[in-house]
Amino acid sequence: MSTIMLNIVFGIIVDAFSELRDAKLEIDNDMKNCCFICNHSAYDFEHQAKGFTHHIKKEHYQWAYLFFFLYLDATRKNDYSGLELFVSQQVSQSPSPRCQPCMLPKIIQV
């Protein structure tokens, strides 16, 4: 009877680790095949625009967004330009950190 219980426990452990592995593979696939900023797939860009690599390196370079947000954080609100004030308000009102003001329907450039 104890062997059966031991096999059940081992089965539960193996199943839990396989679920974690599947979740990690899904996250890795999303990171490699989706734009971090607009969440469009690489397939869309490869067939309709200049390519996914061009998009993530030139159009939606994630480090430029990070530096811009750090700049906004370091600058006094009184010194903001109109665009900087708008972006700052949109980011501060956003319930989700992923929801950025650049989420526009027209993202793919031809």
Side-chain angles (χ1 to χ4, degrees):
M1 187 66 158
S2 64
T3 307
I4 295 172
M5 289 299 288
L6 192 59
N7 285 336
I8 291 173
V9 170
F10 285 147
I12 292 171
I13 292 171
V14 167
D15 187 47
F17 278 114
S18 69
E19 287 178 14
L20 288 173
R21 185 187 67 234
D22 291 343
K24 183 181 180 333
L25 287 174
E26 185 177 334
I27 290 170
D28 289 344
N29 186 35
D30 187 48
M31 289 175 61
K32 290 178 186 174
N33 295 316
C34 289
C35 175
F36 179 74
I37 305 299
C38 66
N39 205 31
H40 281 274
S41 70
Y43 178 83
D44 296 338
F45 295 105
E46 293 299 336
H47 296 297
Q48 296 180 6
K50 296 178 183 177
F52 185 65
T53 304
H54 172 78
H55 177 75
I56 62 173
K57 296 294 182 186
K58 300 291 182 189
E59 297 169 1
H60 281 166
Y61 188 54
Q62 64 188 359
W63 295 110
Y65 283 85
L66 175 68
F67 293 141
F68 181 66
F69 292 137
L70 290 174
Y71 165 78
L72 289 178
D73 190 46
T75 305
R76 295 182 317 153
K77 290 190 186 259
N78 293 341
D79 296 335
Y80 283 168
S81 68
L83 181 62
E84 292 167 349
L85 181 62
F86 174 76
V87 172
S88 175
Q89 290 172 347
Q90 293 298 312
V91 171
S92 66
Q93 293 174 2
S94 175
S96 167
R98 178 95 187 212
C99 181
Q100 302 300 335
C102 64
M103 298 283 194
L104 300 173
K106 187 176 181 182
I107 299 216
I108 300 176
Q109 288 185 355
V110 179

